[in-house]
Amino acid sequence: MTAAPRHRDGCAVMFVDMRGFTRASAQLGEDDVVRLLEGYFAMVVDVAMAHGGRPCNMTGDGVLAAFGLDPAPRDAALGALRAAREVLDAWRAMSADWQARHGVVTGLGIGLHMGPVIAGPIGPPSFRHDTVVGDTVNIAARLCQRARSGEALFSDAVRRAPGIDGLGLEILELPPLQIRGRDAPLGMHCLPAAERLDLGAD
């Protein structure tokens, strides 16, 4: 990112959150909790970077990545959607392994939105790190909260990006989402879950 925070247009933001982590943490020993998180974080980061994304935050059991920040970025929306689909598919296999070996059930929910962000090192002098902030990030977080386990929800801004229909992804249009503080409802779409688990957000 840049030496100081600055406005960037046309960025896609992906929030990923693990479902069932609180319950899994109660069932697992400390070392296994760390292994679960490290495997999850490594997978999401590797997938995001492979599709042109930049990991920004890892907090609790959530990951934030931004697409379209590089000096010569790839198409941000396409990269974010490809990454979301790959993350969900990869976690389905990883979660099945954890369930078979340790009896814990987990899933992922993902939210994607596209628009302007403020990108760069943010925070007090003693703890500054590269990240993205702004309304685009907030909307992606809200969509992530709304997503059911195994789903990725994304906005009209992502859906309208050129080339989306050429990805060959199953996309469902959902009823618009009314977000507090916004006059107009947000158009919403979904990469549906292959298998739905009622794990909720924790």
Side-chain angles (χ1 to χ4, degrees):
M1 293 184 189
T2 57
R6 69 184 183 97
H7 179 94
R8 296 290 298 268
D9 285 317
C11 292
V13 174
M14 178 176 77
F15 259 103
V16 186
D17 180 74
M18 190 186 300
R19 309 297 197 233
F21 178 69
T22 299
R23 186 179 304 153
S25 297
Q27 294 177 245
L28 297 171
E30 292 180 357
D31 289 345
D32 282 331
V33 169
V34 172
R35 290 189 190 98
L36 175 65
L37 280 177
E38 287 184 340
Y40 157 60
F41 287 147
M43 181 273 289
V44 175
V45 167
D46 287 349
V47 170
M49 292 180 68
H51 292 284
R54 184 84 61 86
C56 296
N57 283 335
M58 289 178 284
T59 305
D61 57 359
V63 182
L64 165 64
F67 298 73
L69 296 176
D70 293 335
R74 306 178 222 176
D75 188 285
L78 270 63
L81 270 177
R82 287 189 181 108
R85 181 71 272 167
E86 188 172 331
V87 163
L88 291 174
D89 291 343
W91 188 250
R92 195 161 60 247
M94 294 174 71
S95 178
D97 180 61
W98 276 89
Q99 183 176 3
R101 291 192 293 118
H102 299 284
V104 297
V105 180
T106 58
L108 299 183
I110 298 178
L112 301 156
H113 186 46
M114 187 172 184
V117 299
I118 301 168
I122 296 173
S126 60
F127 190 69
R128 292 174 73 82
H129 71 286
D130 283 339
T131 190
V132 290
V133 297
D135 188 59
T136 299
V137 179
N138 297 338
I139 296 296
R142 291 295 300 274
L143 288 169
C144 181
Q145 292 171 357
R146 187 84 173 182
R148 291 179 292 185
S149 179
E151 289 181 343
L153 298 185
F154 57 99
S155 64
D156 272 347
V158 176
R159 182 68 181 90
R160 290 194 301 262
I164 296 298
D165 289 328
L167 294 178
L169 298 173
E170 181 183 1
I171 295 175
L172 300 179
E173 184 174 0
L174 300 178
L177 175 65
Q178 184 63 57
I179 296 178
R180 186 180 301 174
R182 297 175 68 95
D183 293 333
L186 181 76
M188 187 168 59
H189 309 266
C190 177
L191 298 180
E195 298 175 2
R196 289 199 177 110
L197 298 173
D198 186 17
L199 295 175
D202 59 3

